[in-house]
Amino acid sequence: MNELYIILEMILLISGIVGCIVPLLPGLPLSLLALIILDQTRVDISSNTMIAISIIVTLITVQDFILPGIATKRFQGTKYGFWGGTIGLFAGFVTPIPGRAIAGAFLGALMGEAINGKTYSKAIKPAIGSVIGVLLGTAGKVLTSIGIAIYYICLLYTSPSPR
């Protein structure tokens, strides 16, 4: 039975890492689920550790959605660019175009700044900021998911004995 759990957990961990890049696949929650299954079946993970990891997963997931808007503001965008980038990010998830999240955030921020009256040459900088925010958010998710996978492997192979 342990082998089946390990296979399921490995599938969840790999899907978690992939899901941090692929839109609409909940990467970090899948990685966390692998730890929860490990905790419930074979290795005792402290409650404090599970709470801390859950909080980190929640914070990284939330920051992934707000970082493009914040980066837009940092690159001299207005609230129109902020909201355009944020709405574009969500719209990008449901459109069948390559680079959905990046394209959506970029075009959303660009359109938001255009609505505010900025010329294309002045709107491009906040739009690039939105793309940087998407990339930073994705990097944060991927690194967190890889960290969970490394922690899982350490627990799996250093645990004194299964339950």
Side-chain angles (χ1 to χ4, degrees), residues 31-92:
S31 296
L32 180 61
L33 183 57
L35 280 183
I36 292 170
I37 293 171
L38 180 66
D39 177 51
Q40 296 299 312
T41 58
R42 297 177 321 284
V43 176
D44 188 29
I45 303 172
S46 78
S47 296
N48 289 340
T49 300
M50 289 303 291
I51 290 169
I53 292 172
S54 298
I55 290 170
I56 290 168
V57 164
T58 302
L59 291 175
I60 295 292
T61 301
V62 169
Q63 69 88 34
D64 182 50
F65 289 108
I66 62 172
L67 204 53
I70 292 170
T72 301
K73 291 284 271 184
R74 292 273 181 190
F75 279 71
Q76 288 131 16
T78 64
K79 65 180 178 182
Y80 291 92
F82 173 91
W83 286 109
T86 303
I87 292 167
L89 176 66
F90 285 107

Side-chain angles (χ1 to χ4, degrees), residues 2-154:
N2 280 347
E3 292 82 14
L4 290 175
Y5 282 127
I6 290 172
I7 291 169
L8 173 63
E9 292 158 357
M10 289 294 172
I11 289 170
L12 287 169
L13 289 170
I14 292 167
S15 299
I17 293 168
V18 171
C20 291
I21 300 167
V22 175
L24 299 178
L25 189 61
L28 285 176
L30 291 174
S31 296
L32 180 61
L33 183 57
L35 280 183
I36 292 170
I37 293 171
L38 180 66
D39 177 51
Q40 296 299 312
T41 58
R42 297 177 321 284
V43 176
D44 188 29
I45 303 172
S46 78
S47 296
N48 289 340
T49 300
M50 289 303 291
I51 290 169
I53 292 172
S54 298
I55 290 170
I56 290 168
V57 164
T58 302
L59 291 175
I60 295 292
T61 301
V62 169
Q63 69 88 34
D64 182 50
F65 289 108
I66 62 172
L67 204 53
I70 292 170
T72 301
K73 291 284 271 184
R74 292 273 181 190
F75 279 71
Q76 288 131 16
T78 64
K79 65 180 178 182
Y80 291 92
F82 173 91
W83 286 109
T86 303
I87 292 167
L89 176 66
F90 285 107
F93 286 137
V94 297
T95 57
I97 58 174
R100 300 171 188 197
I102 293 172
F106 179 82
L107 293 173
L110 194 65
M111 289 191 302
E113 294 298 339
I115 289 170
N116 193 36
K118 280 190 176 180
T119 63
Y120 175 77
S121 61
K122 290 186 180 182
I124 197 86
K125 188 174 179 182
I128 290 170
S130 185
V131 169
I132 290 171
V134 169
L135 294 175
L136 288 173
T138 300
K141 289 189 310 184
V142 169
L143 290 173
T144 303
S145 193
I146 289 171
I148 289 172
I150 291 169
Y151 181 64
Y152 168 88
I153 291 167
C154 289

